[in-house]
Amino acid sequence: MFGRKRGDDPGYEDNAALSGFGGYQPSDSPGYEPVAPTSSADPLPDSKSVGPATPAPVKQPMSRSGRRAMYGFFATLGVIAVATLANDGSDRSSSSSTPTSRPPVVYTPSPRVVAPPVTDGWHSVAGADGMVAYDVPPNWTPKPGTVHGWEKSAIVPGISMFSSAFVGDDYCPAVRGSRIGGSGLTTVKVADAPGAANKALYDLAVSAYNPEEGPLSAKITADPPQATEFTLGNGKKAPANILIAEVTLGYTGPCIPKRALVGVQAVDMGDASAALLVYSDSDQQGSADREQILKILKTYRGVPEADRKTITPPPSTLR
């Protein structure tokens, strides 16, 4: 199976501030030397195969709850599930064998900030307290409160993403919780956009599309990078870079695709870069092709304060 997944984790906060942008907690994947030059004045080649450096053994990060699943696809542990578990625990510890009637528990979700989509018919996914957003197609499911990704190990660099969205829930009957693809926001500890885009794409592709125990057999072939600009909520521009790559998997198995696509838009924010990542199988109905991945990436934007709206999701009743 593929690398271990990351589920929701209270230690990975959606609102950890990065000065001037908001909401990004840098990802950490030591043992990688960027293939691309780290200067925006020295662009990536027109086409290349991205090869991994050999990572040094590293300690596992904070443990993440949940089972292994294809691609690390991601059982999400929500607050409702926690509340239910706590309720079950109190029942088991009761000294009385007589069933007792308990009133239903009403759970009220915390308020969250939303932003309008910029693409007709698509869904908006807001992050960083609504300071940034991106859009996904109508067949995708936004899950802005979900953190997901892959654990780093001695074999793979690992990556975490927040403000997530997914496509193709349970498409593979043989793998419970499988999904065709997903997206999310992260940061990269590389200051220039081209180098950050290359690193983020490598971290995700290597971690997601190789066996957990190795070897690193996936071939990652990048398209020419695209220089662009990211529009902040105040209307100012920041240098950005878009990179898309095809991944050819080096082995087969139940529900394992032959090919996949990974795309990233990285934004130069000074000491680090903010990034949106999108990935999808290429073999399934409903998967995203290059054109759709590029369209998603280009919706990544800062949200003007006037367009941000705070909502409180409706209460849920636990019985």
Side-chain angles (χ1 to χ4, degrees):
M1 300 306 290
F2 291 107
R4 287 179 297 176
K5 62 90 185 172
R6 292 176 183 262
D8 285 347
D9 190 288
Y12 189 87
E13 294 293 341
D14 199 33
N15 60 355
L18 177 65
S19 178
F21 199 64
Y24 292 91
Q25 182 72 9
S27 61
D28 186 12
S29 53
Y32 167 70
E33 297 178 3
V35 176
T38 56
S39 170
S40 57
D42 190 0
L44 295 171
D46 287 346
S47 179
K48 67 181 189 312
S49 292
V50 181
T54 302
V58 293
K59 294 181 179 179
Q60 290 295 317
M62 180 184 300
S63 89
R64 307 275 174 166
S65 59
R67 62 178 182 83
R68 294 180 184 177
M70 187 176 184
Y71 288 9
F73 281 122
F74 312 123
T76 300
L77 182 62
V79 178
I80 294 177
V82 174
T84 302
L85 181 63
N87 190 52
D88 289 344
S90 63
D91 286 345
R92 286 193 296 268
S93 64
S94 174
S95 59
S96 172
S97 60
T98 303
T100 58
S101 176
R102 295 180 179 273
V105 176
V106 177
Y107 162 68
T108 302
S110 299
R112 60 184 176 90
V113 181
V114 298
V118 296
T119 310
D120 289 343
W122 284 28
H123 308 294
S124 178
V125 185
D129 292 332
M131 294 180 67
V132 296
Y134 66 96
D135 294 350
V136 292
N139 63 319
W140 287 56
T141 302
K143 294 193 175 181
T146 295
V147 178
H148 79 280
W150 292 264
E151 298 283 7
K152 79 183 164 185
S153 71
I155 302 296
V156 300
I159 192 168
S160 290
M161 292 169 280
F162 62 94
S163 298
S164 306
F166 301 103
V167 63
D169 286 334
D170 298 316
Y171 83 98
C172 177
V175 179
R176 183 181 177 185
S178 61
R179 294 186 172 108
I180 292 172
S183 57
L185 305 179
T186 191
T187 56
V188 189
K189 293 179 180 178
V190 176
D192 69 284
N198 187 73
K199 175 171 166 49
L201 186 145
Y202 170 90
D203 286 353
L204 192 153
V206 170
S207 301
Y209 297 108
N210 283 292
E212 184 177 345
E213 296 81 11
L216 300 183
S217 56
K219 180 182 178 182
I220 306 166
T221 305
D223 295 349
Q226 303 180 36
T228 186
E229 289 184 321
F230 179 91
T231 303
L232 296 162
N234 60 10
K236 295 182 178 180
K237 306 286 186 178
N241 194 266
I242 290 175
L243 188 62
I244 296 175
E246 181 177 79
V247 183
T248 304
L249 278 75
Y251 69 106
T252 60
C255 304
I256 296 174
K258 295 178 180 179
R259 295 176 298 114
L261 290 169
V262 178
V264 58
Q265 182 182 169
V267 183
D268 184 349
M269 296 308 301
D271 293 337
S273 297
L276 165 65
L277 286 149
V278 184
Y279 55 93
S280 175
D281 290 2
S282 298
D283 306 330
Q284 303 297 329
Q285 183 177 2
S287 61
D289 58 15
R290 272 180 172 81
E291 181 179 357
Q292 190 172 77
I293 286 177
L294 180 61
K295 188 173 181 179
I296 294 171
L297 293 172
K298 287 186 173 180
T299 67
Y300 188 32
R301 62 198 182 274
V303 180
E305 187 173 358
D307 291 342
R308 303 170 202 162
K309 181 181 179 182
T310 300
I311 67 167
T312 300
S316 299
T317 301
L318 306 178
R319 296 184 182 275

